[in-house]
Amino acid sequence: MELEYSFLADAIEVVAPSGRFFVFNGGVEAVSCPGFPALLPSLAYIGKIRIPPAERDIAHNAQLSCLRPNGEPLVPLMANNFDARTLTVPRDRPAHHLLVVNYRQIQLYEYGEHRFVLTCDGEELGSVSFFVDPMPDVQVPHVAPGAEHA
């Protein structure tokens, strides 16, 4: 089994049963916040797992964790059991399982790298990270009274 891809977005909507999806503001790699604690309004994870024909005869357990820079969980562990025997792809071809999780109101506690890790049947398949950065200083230029008409 292998992870074909994973990425982060603001939100992801799956169209069942085709497995196609809509991504809203995909490619999240960093977010900025002024201080802590802070709320991240929305964040979505998508991962596509490739299941070879030899591994289609059993049920599988995927788990998604998100770790803070200190290694502690950022959100609760997400478990997803799926049965590859029920997939409608011909048995001699690889099948795929799409894992999509939309999070709302994630509480952030520190700056640095936050990492989503996908495992399946106890084996790590891959990870994707986002960074929490300080808000850039916004400097408003000072205009002297009357100078705006000069």
Side-chain angles (χ1 to χ4, degrees):
M1 208 169 310
E2 67 183 45
L3 181 61
E4 285 202 354
Y5 60 79
S6 66
F7 61 88
L8 303 173
D10 283 347
I12 299 170
E13 183 179 332
V14 177
V15 179
S18 73
R20 293 182 180 164
F21 52 88
F22 293 96
V23 175
F24 304 94
N25 293 326
V28 172
E29 295 177 352
V31 296
S32 299
C33 64
F36 301 104
L39 281 180
L40 183 58
S42 66
L43 185 65
Y45 170 91
I46 185 168
K48 186 176 183 179
I49 301 170
R50 182 180 189 270
I51 309 159
E55 296 183 48
R56 291 193 50 197
D57 293 331
I58 59 172
H60 298 281
N61 176 268
Q63 294 186 329
L64 180 66
S65 58
C66 184
L67 303 174
R68 295 169 45 188
N70 65 7
E72 292 180 13
L74 178 65
V75 294
L77 181 73
M78 176 66 64
N80 178 249
N81 297 311
F82 62 96
D83 191 341
R85 295 171 291 199
T86 63
L87 301 173
T88 59
V89 176
R91 307 267 325 142
D92 61 336
R93 288 190 212 161
H96 295 89
H97 178 69
L98 195 62
L99 179 63
V100 175
V101 182
N102 284 285
Y103 296 95
R104 299 284 180 256
Q105 302 298 318
I106 297 175
Q107 184 128 18
L108 300 173
Y109 300 96
E110 69 266 299
Y111 298 119
E113 182 180 12
H114 294 65
R115 191 166 72 103
F116 283 91
V117 180
L118 180 64
T119 61
C120 195
D121 303 329
E123 176 186 344
E124 184 175 325
L125 298 183
S127 66
V128 62
S129 297
F130 72 98
F131 290 84
V132 177
D133 297 326
M135 280 288 221
D137 290 333
V138 178
Q139 295 187 7
V140 179
H142 178 71
V143 178
E148 64 271 5
H149 299 293

